Amino acid sequence: VGRLRLAVLGMGVMGTNHAIVYQGLAEAQLAAAVETSPERADDVRNRFGVPVFGSVEQLIAEAEFDAASICLPDQAHVEPALALAKAGKHLLVEKPLATTLAGCNAIISAAESAGVKLMVGFTLRFDPRYYSVHEAVSQGEIGEPVYMYARRNNLNSGARRLAGRVTLPFFLQVHDIDAMRWMGGAEVTRVYACGVRKVLNDLGVDDAVVSTLQFSDGSIGCVESNWILPDSLPGRFDFRLEVVGTKGRATIDLESQGATVHNGQQMREVDPMFRPVLYGQQPLVLREELHHFVKCVLEDKTPVVGGADGRAATAVALAIEESLRLGQPVDVKYS
Ligand SMILES: NC(=O)c1ccc[n+]([C@@H]2O[C@H](COP(=O)([O-])OP(=O)(O)OC[C@H]3O[C@@H](n4cnc5c(N)ncnc54)[C@H](O)[C@@H]3O)[C@@H](O)[C@H]2O)c1
């Protein structure tokens, strides 16, 4: 089995992480990148020593590679994914797959017609804590899921960094929507969401969104998220998941990561899963995810999280956004 040659599109926060992981995987080789910011492109050339192109067309015309990670802003996934699939390149698309159902469908069809793998970057599927709870729930340890609750709260600087280009349902809630579909094995049929704007008015986005979900098996869920936590908090995240079943309960609580450093003035939580540099290899959860993608391509296997999962999460996020606009419950439209 040879090494898979990969291109990374969009060398921001996630694209840089993908590039670092690919450079560290024995079965992979970072072959090229695409980045429109000239300064960032220069940094990438210097740091990774690979050619950096200004467009996907140029990448396809000039670089030799087998597969690509699309780490572009949420609204910019579709056109590059279609061009890459048409050129026969396997696709790892960061979440959300696309921000419209038509976009999701187009990517799924293009990948099917071209016979290339399509995986969506739902990181939680590769986090050992979420995976362990999934295993326990799917083996019936807590009985039938009755109620699920998820929290995904970020620091204010996280929202400022994204500057209003993305929304809470698409940036944060899609992770938990996917996790709940995966945990409970049921689809979301109806949502009712409310949001609030007090802090990020200048960005034109909600500070917090609470979404209630009804599932096809009769169970219910609640996903809450905000991105206004003070930056002086010790941890970067406050993430939780709880699954209450007919006979038990399973929980994940990631506000504390189990390791802290106090520098004499301030305490911070260190993050051993998403951002560690462990003997030069990082980050653990993303490495598992990308390694899975690389192995699926090399060994001709189907990724555990694919286009249909991406489309389902997008359908629910769109329904949440409609509910926020209307102030009413909304049925999820899957086609
Ligand atoms: N799985 C996760 O946990 C996770 C976490 C954060 C972000 N994401 C997802 O990853 C994607 C990227 O997010 P990010 O936070 O890294 O964004 P970012 O803004 O940090 O990076 C995007 C990069 O793409 C570049 N760019 C923009 N348009 C381009 C174009 N047309 N062609 C080439 N380059 C272009 C920008 O200059 C920037 O460098 C988003 O879809 C986001 O939702 C996933």
Side-chain angles (χ1 to χ4, degrees):
V1 180
R3 288 174 105 192
L4 190 73
R5 298 165 301 176
L6 290 123
V8 177
L9 285 77
M11 289 298 289
V13 171
M14 281 315 275
T16 302
N17 282 335
H18 282 228
I20 292 168
V21 172
Y22 289 138
Q23 271 203 331
L25 286 179
E27 301 94 330
Q29 184 194 336
L30 181 66
V34 176
E35 172 57 55
T36 42
S37 148
E39 301 79 41
R40 209 167 269 183
D42 279 342
D43 288 348
V44 174
R45 281 184 199 100
N46 292 334
R47 179 170 180 181
F48 294 100
V50 295
V52 183
F53 300 97
S55 70
V56 65
E57 291 77 18
Q58 218 186 344
L59 171 81
I60 291 168
E62 296 183 30
E64 292 201 355
F65 64 107
D66 312 297
S69 271
I70 298 183
C71 302
L72 296 163
D74 289 3
Q75 293 83 354
H77 292 178
V78 181
E79 295 308 324
L82 300 186
L84 288 160
K86 204 171 161 200
K89 313 297 180 187
H90 302 279
L91 296 175
L92 183 287
V93 184
E94 262 301 345
K95 48 58 58 178
L97 176 58
T99 53
T100 62
L101 275 186
C104 292
N105 288 334
I107 296 176
I108 293 167
S109 310
E112 275 169 12
S113 323
V116 296
K117 308 284 177 201
L118 171 59
M119 178 165 152
V120 181
F122 282 124
T123 325
L124 302 184
R125 302 246 187 167
F126 299 89
D127 184 318
R129 299 160 296 196
Y130 285 79
Y131 184 83
S132 307
V133 165
H134 172 265
E135 290 300 284
V137 172
S138 62
Q139 282 157 23
E141 279 192 59
I142 65 159
E144 294 286 312
V146 173
Y147 169 73
M148 284 186 265
Y149 162 79
R151 173 187 289 186
R152 188 156 298 269
N153 291 343
N154 270 11
L155 299 183
N156 192 285
S157 51
R160 295 267 161 218
R161 174 179 87 78
L162 295 160
R165 292 192 301 271
V166 293
T167 65
L168 275 172
F170 274 107
F171 194 71
L172 294 179
Q173 297 199 339
V174 285
H175 281 293
D176 297 298
I177 292 163
D178 179 67
M180 287 182 176
R181 291 181 60 250
W182 179 47
M183 299 275 171
E187 296 298 342
V188 182
T189 52
R190 192 169 166 81
V191 304
Y192 185 25
C194 51
V196 57
R197 295 186 182 200
K198 288 189 182 198
V199 180
L200 301 171
N201 286 329
D202 56 316
L203 301 184
V205 291
D206 290 312
D207 302 333
V209 170
V210 176
S211 305
T212 58
L213 315 175
Q214 285 174 248
F215 290 90
S216 50
D217 64 356
S219 62
I220 57 171
C222 172
V223 180
E224 68 164 77
S225 54
N226 79 53
W227 41 18
I228 56 160
L229 296 179
D231 288 342
S232 55
L233 276 175
R236 292 168 55 234
F237 313 120
D238 178 8
F239 298 167
R240 293 163 201 228
L241 183 86
E242 178 169 333
V243 189
V244 177
T246 47
K247 63 177 197 194
R249 183 187 76 151
T251 63
I252 297 163
D253 180 351
L254 304 191
E255 186 171 20
S256 168
Q257 297 278 329
T260 64
V261 176
H262 196 292
N263 65 5
Q265 279 159 346
Q266 205 186 10
M267 189 183 85
R268 72 184 167 90
E269 289 266 347
V270 291
D271 163 15
M273 299 303 281
F274 286 102
R275 280 208 171 172
V277 178
L278 194 71
Y279 305 116
Q281 297 265 318
Q282 66 161 350
L284 289 178
V285 171
L286 192 63
R287 193 166 79 225
E288 287 304 321
E289 177 190 306
L290 301 186
H291 194 203
H292 177 78
F293 173 61
V294 168
K295 283 201 311 187
C296 283
V297 176
L298 291 176
E299 298 168 12
D300 192 18
K301 293 192 174 134
T302 304
V304 294
V305 53
D309 300 300
R311 177 173 51 200
T314 290
V316 178
L318 285 169
I320 289 171
E321 295 208 322
E322 197 184 345
S323 177
L324 287 170
R325 273 194 304 275
L326 299 176
Q328 287 171 6
V330 167
D331 290 332
V332 182
K333 296 177 201 76
Y334 285 99
S335 56

